[in-house]
Amino acid sequence: MTEERRRTSPWSRIRSIGPTKEIAVKGAIALTLVVLLGLMFPRGEAIEFEYKVGGVWAQDDLYAPFSFPILRDQQEYLKEVDDAKKNVYPVFERIDSLMKVQQLELEKFFARLDEALRVRKDVARTAAAADSARFVQLASQLQVRLFEREWSLLAGLTDRQINAMRDELLRLTRSYLESGILDTEKRTLSRPQLALRKGTVEELISPDKFLDLNEVATRLDNDLIAFYGRDNDTVDVAHKIGVIHLVPNIRYQEAATEVAEKAAIASVPRTSGFVQEADRIVSKNERITTDIKQKLDSLRKARVEQGGASSGPFQYVGIILHVAIVVFLFGLYLSLFRPRIFSNDRRLAIVALLILMEGFFAHLTRVIPVSGPVEYLIVVPAASMLLTIIFDSRVGFYGTVTIAYLVAGIRGNDYAIGLAALVAGALSVYTVRDVRNRTQIIRSFGFIFLGYVLTIFALGMERIAPWTVMAEEMTYALANSIISPVLTFGLLIFFERSAKVTTDLTLIELAHFKHPLLKLLSEKAPGTYHHSVSMASLAEAGAAAVGANEVLARVGALFHDIGKIEKPNYFVENQKGTRNRHDKLSPRMSSLIIQNHVKQGMAIARDYNLPEEVIDFIPQHHGTTRIDYFYRKALKLAESSDDETKIDEINEEDYRYPGPRPQTKETGILMLADSIEAAARTLEDPSPQKLEVLIDDLIKKRFEEGELDECPLTLKDLTKIKKAFLGVLVGVYHARVKYPGSEAREETRPDDGDAERQKQERAREAKPAEGTAPSQTTDGEESNEQRLTRTIKTIDNQ
């Protein structure tokens, strides 16, 4: 490949991105993670030591540095505050002046009603427009909207009947207001009594002595029926007028009620004692009791109120440095031992997101006021399993250590839960380290629960915790053991689809021989299919030998030659007869056909949504190797020609794959496996000695050509790969027992001679090298592809 082509390849452009941008992206991820985790750490409290009831104080005797009150247990205090608020009676006030106001309003209403009825009679008699307008004006001034039927009914009443309605409504209104009308529905009152204020006097009265608005409306209806009779239409009109004038005179006083609640809260004692300066709080090796823990908690808060160095910006800076050190150490591990993760910003972001998720859960368990041991609901095993499945078990374990430490810090140096999370997380890593199907994730439930139970039991026995406490903690741990696998299952699908993460589970599902693309390959190019299956065994063995991803190597081998589906008969392993279609083509045209299967393979792979990690095998397993058979054929034809200039016209780059060279251990292993598997088929007597020489020669050839320069395979790795390949090939080409009569058949078999050896030579040299990405085509190359298409159609028609 020329330097110009290398510079224009997409892989070269990616590598040309300067380190400054890469460092900036990684720094932004790390800074975001550190700052957000730092915000979750507890501040404003001295957190030098962690202590729990039942534990042993391992420090020196602790004396009070100053006098401070002993604060009561927070949960107990909040419970008493809640009880005090519930004991406060809602405050209501009686407004006596409303009775006189409503009586006057009702009399004014009937005066306006009388005038409106008089004008209405004039309108009926004269039909004058002025009288009609006056009636409309008077009707609109009434507080009640009356319909025509109701106006007709009122117009039919005598003055005596109208006055009787007015007097009855005045009497009923006075009666209801004297009893008292509540502005709040009785069913919404939580207390059996209410505090009724009248001036400066407050009296506790049952709400049943009053009427609410619903009750007074019902009472009015019943009283009017008793006055007029049940079937009298006047009842509805009178009820409509009376309801609008019934205004509550017993009104809820929200501000007064709040003042009463605050007074009740203030009456709840916040402290339970006092510690004098120099008093001993706890002795060395003394077991911590509930009283001692209250003193220690009170000392923490007192130090904050004293304005010590444990609060303020200095503490936050210390927290940031603390978190930064932990994140830096984990990042250092990834950069040194897992560069494929550290160099990929998307993978780093996933790691950071999982750490941040666990930190957030730990923060929630600390700030949410729940009395149970909710810290055992922090789903650290879920992050452990995700890191293991997405990356590998070592990343999962070291990630678990990092997360458990951070969770303990966010919980206020609660290293008991840190230890429990570490043990449960480590066991969950063990259960999915060799995951082969998704249901295996669910089976991790038992190991997670076992880890929590062992830790809870050990710590509980150490601090002599009651069995009821340990049982409650185990119950929460059981819930965590169920939630973690389910959450892992869901998040794994999310990362695979949204973040385009390729896990071993994804690869294992692709490796199934029922995959549509593999079935298509076996139908259209059976020779290539069987070659790919053989390659998969070699690549898997080589990857296992050097610690590479053997599942990825196997899947890459299965799909590396799918481009041959388009024109399978132009590749020797699929040629069933003696006819070779390349016999009628020029060497240059044949090389274009061979090279084109790389581009076709990448297009097909993307049509079937194969992961990019698998697609990389298609171009990279060929690298920039030369198609020797057709290159030598071109040279031979040029030498036999009378025109000596034809040799100079042959450009070696036209007979090379476009690249790139292998970038990973897996693609490098596949390049070696492809060459060795094709060459091994040509050996007449594939003895272990011949196979070993063949493997040595081909690995040496690829090494000297520089095809392995860009992948992380070392000389030590190549030695291991050679041994792995030899073991597989010896098993494939082992000696077989000759049965009676087999010699005679062997002697009578016709010898194809040179023709057969030439065919084998083509199989070895014309075999397209896998793993290259198609380079950008120029105008000249485009015309070659058009010419290639025309030639293939001509041969196919023949």
Side-chain angles (χ1 to χ4, degrees):
M1 179 185 288
T2 62
E3 288 298 321
E4 181 180 0
R5 182 174 295 180
R6 292 180 186 179
R7 286 194 299 270
T8 58
S9 68
W11 286 266
S12 299
R13 289 198 298 272
I14 291 174
R15 290 194 299 270
S16 67
I17 297 176
T20 304
K21 184 175 181 179
E22 294 181 1
I23 292 174
V25 173
K26 291 173 175 55
I29 293 173
L31 181 62
T32 303
L33 178 62
V34 168
V35 171
L36 292 178
L37 286 174
L39 292 173
M40 297 175 192
F41 268 69
R43 294 191 300 280
E45 296 181 4
I47 50 175
E48 307 96 339
F49 309 117
E50 173 58 22
Y51 48 85
K52 285 189 174 182
V53 175
V56 175
W57 183 261
Q59 314 301 323
D60 293 334
D61 292 359
L62 179 63
Y63 294 89
F66 47 81
S67 300
F68 61 90
I70 302 174
L71 301 177
R72 298 175 61 191
D73 179 72
Q74 183 72 6
Q75 296 297 328
E76 180 184 346
Y77 171 74
L78 292 177
K79 184 178 182 302
E80 287 197 17
V81 166
D82 188 53
D83 292 340
K85 289 171 65 176
K86 291 179 180 178
N87 289 328
V88 172
Y89 295 98
V91 178
F92 286 80
E93 185 176 1
R94 178 187 286 273
I95 305 175
D96 291 330
S97 60
L98 277 177
M99 182 182 295
K100 185 176 182 181
V101 171
Q102 292 306 111
Q103 294 278 300
L104 291 174
E105 287 293 328
L106 190 58
E107 290 178 352
K108 289 180 181 178
F109 175 85
F110 275 95
R112 288 192 290 268
L113 179 64
D114 288 341
E115 185 177 359
L117 288 173
R118 182 180 56 79
V119 174
R120 189 175 186 277
K121 290 179 181 178
D122 294 341
V123 171
R125 186 178 66 254
T126 62
D131 291 337
S132 179
R134 175 63 177 161
F135 172 74
V136 171
Q137 180 184 6
L138 290 172
S140 64
Q141 291 177 355
L142 297 175
Q143 294 173 309
V144 180
R145 182 184 177 186
L146 299 174
F147 298 102
E148 179 60 29
R149 181 182 62 84
E150 295 168 332
W151 280 110
S152 298
L153 187 147
L154 290 171
L157 298 177
T158 63
D159 291 342
R160 183 178 178 181
Q161 290 174 322
I162 293 291
N163 292 334
M165 179 187 295
R166 180 195 62 196
D167 294 341
E168 180 63 15
L169 287 177
L170 285 172
R171 184 185 70 79
L172 292 175
T173 302
R174 186 184 308 107
S175 172
Y176 300 151
L177 289 173
E178 286 177 350
S179 297
I181 302 175
L182 293 169
D183 66 347
T184 305
E185 291 186 33
K186 291 181 181 180
R187 61 183 179 85
T188 62
L189 298 175
S190 58
R191 301 290 294 159
Q193 292 181 310
L194 56 82
L196 181 63
R197 288 184 180 179
K198 187 176 181 181
T200 58
V201 179
E202 184 173 294
E203 180 183 4
L204 294 179
I205 301 178
S206 172
D208 294 334
K209 292 188 176 182
F210 305 106
L211 300 171
D212 60 22
L213 290 173
N214 293 328
E215 291 176 337
V216 78
T218 303
R219 179 79 62 85
L220 176 63
D221 189 53
N222 293 333
D223 289 343
L224 289 173
I225 291 174
F227 182 76
Y228 284 107
R230 182 171 298 278
D231 297 328
N232 196 323
D233 294 336
T234 311
V235 171
D236 293 335
V237 178
H239 185 275
K240 197 172 187 178
I241 297 171
V243 165
I244 199 68
H245 291 91
L246 292 174
V247 178
N249 62 340
I250 308 295
R251 296 186 177 179
Y252 176 67
Q253 303 297 312
E254 183 177 3
T257 304
E258 289 181 355
V259 171
E261 287 182 351
K262 290 180 180 179
I265 293 173
S267 66
V268 178
R270 186 68 184 87
T271 62
S272 61
F274 202 82
V275 176
Q276 297 291 340
E277 183 178 356
D279 284 354
R280 183 163 57 188
I281 299 174
V282 59
S283 303
K284 185 176 182 179
N285 298 325
E286 183 180 359
R287 191 165 299 278
I288 297 175
T289 63
T290 303
D291 292 339
I292 293 176
K293 185 178 184 300
Q294 287 182 357
K295 292 179 181 179
L296 292 172
D297 290 340
S298 302
L299 177 59
R300 279 186 172 184
K301 296 186 181 299
R303 282 177 172 172
V304 175
E305 295 172 0
Q306 291 281 335
S310 62
S311 60
F314 290 104
Q315 187 188 24
Y316 185 64
V317 171
I319 290 172
I320 291 295
L321 291 175
H322 178 188
V323 177
I325 291 172
V326 178
V327 172
F328 170 77
L329 290 176
F330 188 51
L332 183 65
Y333 163 76
L334 294 178
S335 65
L336 293 177
F337 301 102
R338 293 296 182 270
R340 65 185 178 89
I341 299 175
F342 190 78
S343 61
N344 189 311
D345 294 333
R346 185 179 61 186
R347 293 176 177 176
L348 276 182
I350 291 174
V351 173
L353 183 63
L354 291 174
I355 295 175
L356 192 62
M357 177 185 74
E358 298 300 335
F360 178 70
F361 288 154
H363 176 69
L364 285 182
T365 62
R366 185 175 58 84
V367 299
I368 295 178
V370 180
S371 58
V374 291
E375 62 271 18
Y376 286 98
L377 293 179
I378 304 173
V379 287
V380 173
S384 303
M385 289 188 286
L386 284 169
L387 290 172
T388 303
I389 296 171
I390 296 174
F391 305 114
D392 57 58
S393 58
R394 291 192 178 183
V395 174
F397 177 74
Y398 288 118
T400 301
V401 174
T402 302
I403 292 172
Y405 183 85
L406 290 172
V407 164
I410 293 173
R411 285 280 308 168
N413 284 355
D414 187 356
Y415 291 103
I417 188 59
L419 177 61
L422 176 60
V423 174
L427 287 177
S428 68
V429 169
Y430 170 79
T431 60
V432 297
R433 73 193 191 286
D434 294 320
V435 63
R436 287 295 178 265
N437 57 73
R438 295 184 187 272
T439 58
Q440 191 174 336
I441 298 173
I442 306 301
R443 292 201 298 266
S444 62
F445 149 76
F447 285 87
I448 297 173
F449 185 55
L450 175 63
Y452 278 121
V453 167
L454 290 176
T455 311
I456 291 171
F457 183 75
L459 295 176
M461 295 296 290
E462 178 187 1
R463 61 175 183 259
I464 316 180
W467 286 103
T468 54
V469 173
M470 288 192 286
E472 185 181 18
E473 292 176 346
M474 291 179 187
T475 302
Y476 278 77
L478 177 62
N480 189 344
S481 304
I482 298 173
I483 294 171
S484 290
V486 175
L487 184 62
T488 301
F489 195 94
L491 287 178
L492 182 61
I493 296 175
F494 169 77
F495 284 129
E496 286 176 331
R497 295 184 179 178
S498 62
K500 303 298 182 183
V501 172
T502 303
T503 66
D504 282 356
L505 284 175
T506 309
L507 296 173
I508 290 170
E509 291 167 356
L510 289 175
H512 201 288
F513 289 121
K514 290 185 179 180
H515 190 282
L517 192 51
L518 292 179
K519 291 179 69 175
L520 184 64
L521 181 65
S522 66
E523 293 170 1
K524 289 195 172 184
T528 301
Y529 173 78
H530 290 292
H531 159 71
S532 299
V533 173
S534 301
M535 286 271 295
S537 299
L538 277 176
E540 187 174 17
V546 298
N549 190 332
E550 50 198 280
V551 181
L552 178 60
R554 179 177 182 82
V555 175
L558 290 174
F559 291 95
H560 78 287
D561 262 348
I562 55 176
K564 295 180 181 179
I565 290 175
E566 294 294 324
K567 299 177 180 66
N569 293 330
Y570 286 88
F571 299 89
V572 68
E573 66 268 23
N574 299 311
Q575 293 173 0
K576 299 178 182 179
T578 57
R579 178 189 175 191
N580 190 331
R581 298 200 176 204
H582 289 284
D583 292 341
K584 295 185 178 182
L585 298 177
S586 66
R588 175 61 182 140
M589 189 62 62
S590 294
S591 68
L592 286 173
I593 293 174
I594 300 301
Q595 291 169 346
N596 193 57
H597 89 279
V598 172
K599 183 185 296 184
Q600 293 286 351
M602 296 180 71
I604 294 171
R606 290 195 172 94
D607 287 342
Y608 279 82
N609 296 318
L610 293 186
E612 288 296 324
E613 289 85 349
V614 176
I615 296 176
D616 287 343
F617 282 84
I618 298 174
Q620 291 182 27
H621 87 279
H622 280 304
T624 58
T625 56
R626 188 175 63 194
I627 307 173
D628 280 336
Y629 178 79
F630 292 113
Y631 176 66
R632 291 174 184 174
K633 182 178 179 181
L635 289 177
K636 186 176 181 180
L637 290 175
E639 290 173 356
S640 62
S641 174
D642 295 335
D643 189 354
E644 297 181 357
T645 61
K646 286 189 176 182
I647 296 179
D648 298 332
E649 294 177 357
I650 297 174
N651 184 2
E652 182 181 353
E653 293 300 318
D654 292 338
Y655 295 88
R656 286 188 179 274
Y657 289 98
R661 292 169 173 171
Q663 304 294 306
T664 63
K665 283 186 177 184
E666 293 80 9
T667 52
I669 291 170
L670 191 64
M671 168 181 274
L672 299 175
D674 186 43
S675 303
I676 292 169
E677 196 276 338
R681 290 172 179 264
T682 66
L683 294 178
E684 294 182 359
D685 182 19
S687 63
Q689 293 76 17
K690 289 184 179 181
L691 290 171
E692 184 174 9
V693 172
L694 177 68
I695 295 172
D696 279 338
D697 291 343
L698 289 176
I699 290 179
K700 182 179 179 181
K701 180 181 179 182
R702 291 290 179 255
F703 179 77
E704 291 177 347
E705 289 174 348
E707 294 296 328
L708 303 176
D709 288 353
E710 298 177 15
C711 71
L713 289 175
T714 63
L715 292 175
K716 185 177 180 181
D717 290 337
L718 294 179
T719 302
K720 294 179 180 179
I721 291 170
K722 167 193 164 183
K723 293 180 180 179
F725 283 177
L726 182 60
V728 174
L729 292 177
V730 168
V732 173
Y733 298 104
H734 63 274
R736 291 173 173 82
V737 176
K738 291 188 177 182
Y739 296 94
S742 61
E743 295 86 348
R745 289 194 298 271
E746 192 69 28
E747 291 174 0
T748 60
R749 192 180 64 180
D751 184 10
D752 293 335
D754 292 339
E756 180 62 21
R757 283 192 292 275
Q758 288 176 5
K759 185 175 180 179
Q760 293 173 348
E761 181 71 8
R762 292 192 189 100
R764 182 175 66 253
E765 297 180 345
K767 172 79 174 66
E770 292 90 333
T772 41
S775 60
Q776 297 177 348
T777 58
T778 63
D779 294 339
E781 290 173 332
E782 190 65 32
S783 63
N784 284 335
E785 291 184 0
Q786 294 173 356
R787 184 159 53 91
L788 168 63
T789 303
R790 288 197 305 272
T791 304
I792 291 173
K793 288 181 178 179
T794 301
I795 296 174
D796 289 340
N797 291 333
Q798 293 176 354

Coordinates of all heavy atoms in Angstrom, one line a residue, residues 438-463:
R438 N -28.4 -15.6 28.5 CA -28.9 -14.6 29.3 C -29.5 -15.1 30.6 O -29.6 -14.4 31.6 CB -29.9 -13.7 28.5 CG -29.2 -13.0 27.4 CD -30.1 -12.1 26.6 NE -29.5 -11.6 25.4 CZ -28.7 -10.5 25.4 NH1 -28.5 -9.8 26.5 NH2 -28.1 -10.1 24.3
T439 N -30.1 -16.3 30.6 CA -30.7 -16.8 31.8 C -29.7 -17.1 32.9 O -30.1 -17.2 34.0 CB -31.4 -18.1 31.4 OG1 -30.5 -19.1 30.9 CG2 -32.6 -17.9 30.4
Q440 N -28.4 -17.2 32.5 CA -27.4 -17.4 33.5 C -27.3 -16.2 34.5 O -26.9 -16.3 35.6 CB -26.0 -17.6 32.8 CG -24.9 -18.1 33.7 CD -23.7 -18.5 33.0 OE1 -23.7 -18.8 31.8 NE2 -22.5 -18.4 33.6
I441 N -27.7 -15.0 34.0 CA -27.7 -13.8 34.8 C -28.6 -14.0 36.0 O -28.3 -13.7 37.2 CB -28.1 -12.6 34.0 CG1 -27.0 -12.3 32.9 CG2 -28.1 -11.4 34.9 CD1 -27.4 -11.2 31.9
I442 N -29.8 -14.6 35.7 CA -30.8 -14.7 36.8 C -30.3 -15.7 37.8 O -30.6 -15.6 39.0 CB -32.1 -15.2 36.2 CG1 -32.6 -14.2 35.0 CG2 -33.2 -15.3 37.2 CD1 -32.8 -12.8 35.5
R443 N -29.5 -16.7 37.4 CA -29.1 -17.7 38.3 C -28.0 -17.2 39.3 O -27.7 -17.9 40.3 CB -28.5 -18.9 37.6 CG -29.5 -19.7 36.8 CD -29.0 -21.1 36.4 NE -27.8 -21.1 35.7 CZ -27.7 -21.1 34.3 NH1 -28.9 -21.2 33.7 NH2 -26.6 -21.1 33.7
S444 N -27.6 -16.0 39.1 CA -26.6 -15.4 40.1 C -27.3 -15.0 41.4 O -26.6 -14.6 42.3 CB -26.0 -14.1 39.4 OG -27.0 -13.2 39.1
F445 N -28.6 -15.0 41.4 CA -29.4 -14.6 42.6 C -28.8 -15.3 43.9 O -28.6 -14.7 44.9 CB -30.8 -14.9 42.4 CG -31.6 -15.3 43.6 CD1 -32.0 -14.3 44.5 CD2 -31.9 -16.6 43.9 CE1 -32.7 -14.6 45.7 CE2 -32.6 -16.9 45.1 CZ -33.0 -15.9 46.0
G446 N -28.6 -16.6 43.8 CA -28.2 -17.4 45.0 C -26.9 -17.0 45.5 O -26.6 -16.8 46.7
F447 N -25.9 -16.7 44.6 CA -24.6 -16.3 45.0 C -24.6 -14.9 45.6 O -23.8 -14.7 46.6 CB -23.6 -16.4 43.8 CG -23.2 -17.8 43.4 CD1 -24.0 -18.5 42.6 CD2 -22.1 -18.4 44.0 CE1 -23.6 -19.8 42.2 CE2 -21.7 -19.7 43.6 CZ -22.5 -20.4 42.7
I448 N -25.3 -14.0 45.1 CA -25.4 -12.7 45.6 C -26.0 -12.7 47.1 O -25.4 -12.1 48.0 CB -26.3 -11.8 44.7 CG1 -25.7 -11.6 43.4 CG2 -26.5 -10.4 45.4 CD1 -26.5 -10.9 42.4
F449 N -27.0 -13.4 47.2 CA -27.7 -13.6 48.6 C -26.7 -14.2 49.5 O -26.6 -13.8 50.7 CB -29.0 -14.3 48.5 CG -29.7 -14.4 49.8 CD1 -30.1 -13.2 50.4 CD2 -30.1 -15.6 50.3 CE1 -30.8 -13.3 51.6 CE2 -30.8 -15.7 51.5 CZ -31.1 -14.5 52.2
L450 N -26.0 -15.2 49.1 CA -25.0 -15.9 49.9 C -23.9 -14.9 50.4 O -23.5 -14.9 51.6 CB -24.3 -17.1 49.2 CG -23.2 -17.8 49.9 CD1 -23.8 -18.5 51.2 CD2 -22.6 -18.8 49.0
G451 N -23.4 -14.1 49.5 CA -22.4 -13.1 49.9 C -22.9 -12.1 51.0 O -22.2 -11.8 51.9
Y452 N -24.2 -11.7 50.8 CA -24.7 -10.7 51.8 C -25.0 -11.5 53.1 O -24.7 -10.9 54.2 CB -26.0 -10.2 51.3 CG -25.9 -9.0 50.4 CD1 -26.3 -9.0 49.0 CD2 -25.2 -7.8 50.8 CE1 -26.2 -7.9 48.2 CE2 -25.1 -6.7 50.0 CZ -25.6 -6.8 48.7 OH -25.4 -5.7 47.8
V453 N -25.5 -12.7 53.1 CA -25.8 -13.4 54.3 C -24.5 -13.6 55.1 O -24.5 -13.4 56.4 CB -26.5 -14.7 54.0 CG1 -26.5 -15.6 55.2 CG2 -27.9 -14.5 53.5
L454 N -23.4 -14.1 54.5 CA -22.2 -14.3 55.2 C -21.7 -13.1 55.8 O -21.2 -13.1 57.0 CB -21.1 -14.9 54.2 CG -21.4 -16.3 53.6 CD1 -20.3 -16.7 52.6 CD2 -21.4 -17.3 54.8
T455 N -21.7 -12.0 55.1 CA -21.2 -10.7 55.6 C -22.1 -10.2 56.8 O -21.5 -9.8 57.8 CB -21.1 -9.6 54.5 OG1 -20.5 -10.2 53.4 CG2 -20.3 -8.4 55.0
I456 N -23.4 -10.2 56.6 CA -24.3 -9.8 57.7 C -24.1 -10.6 58.9 O -24.1 -10.1 60.0 CB -25.7 -9.8 57.2 CG1 -26.0 -8.8 56.1 CG2 -26.7 -9.6 58.3 CD1 -27.3 -8.9 55.4
F457 N -24.0 -11.9 58.7 CA -23.8 -12.8 59.9 C -22.5 -12.6 60.6 O -22.5 -12.5 61.8 CB -23.9 -14.3 59.4 CG -23.8 -15.3 60.5 CD1 -24.9 -15.5 61.4 CD2 -22.6 -16.0 60.8 CE1 -24.8 -16.4 62.4 CE2 -22.5 -16.9 61.8 CZ -23.6 -17.1 62.6
A458 N -21.4 -12.4 59.8 CA -20.1 -12.2 60.5 C -20.1 -10.8 61.2 O -19.7 -10.8 62.4 CB -19.0 -12.2 59.4
L459 N -20.6 -9.8 60.6 CA -20.6 -8.5 61.3 C -21.5 -8.4 62.4 O -21.3 -7.8 63.5 CB -20.9 -7.4 60.2 CG -19.9 -7.2 59.1 CD1 -20.4 -6.1 58.1 CD2 -18.5 -6.7 59.7
G460 N -22.7 -9.1 62.3 CA -23.7 -9.1 63.3 C -23.1 -9.9 64.6 O -23.3 -9.4 65.7
M461 N -22.5 -11.0 64.4 CA -21.9 -11.7 65.5 C -20.8 -10.9 66.2 O -20.6 -10.9 67.4 CB -21.3 -13.1 65.0 CG -22.4 -14.0 64.5 SD -23.5 -14.6 65.8 CE -22.4 -15.6 66.8
E462 N -20.0 -10.1 65.4 CA -19.0 -9.3 65.9 C -19.5 -8.3 66.9 O -18.9 -8.0 67.9 CB -18.2 -8.7 64.8 CG -17.0 -7.8 65.3 CD -16.4 -7.0 64.1 OE1 -16.8 -7.2 63.0 OE2 -15.4 -6.3 64.4
R463 N -20.6 -7.6 66.5 CA -21.1 -6.5 67.3 C -22.3 -7.0 68.2 O -23.0 -6.2 68.8 CB -21.6 -5.4 66.4 CG -22.7 -5.7 65.4 CD -23.1 -4.4 64.7 NE -24.2 -4.6 63.8 CZ -24.2 -4.8 62.5 NH1 -23.0 -4.7 62.0 NH2 -25.2 -5.0 61.8

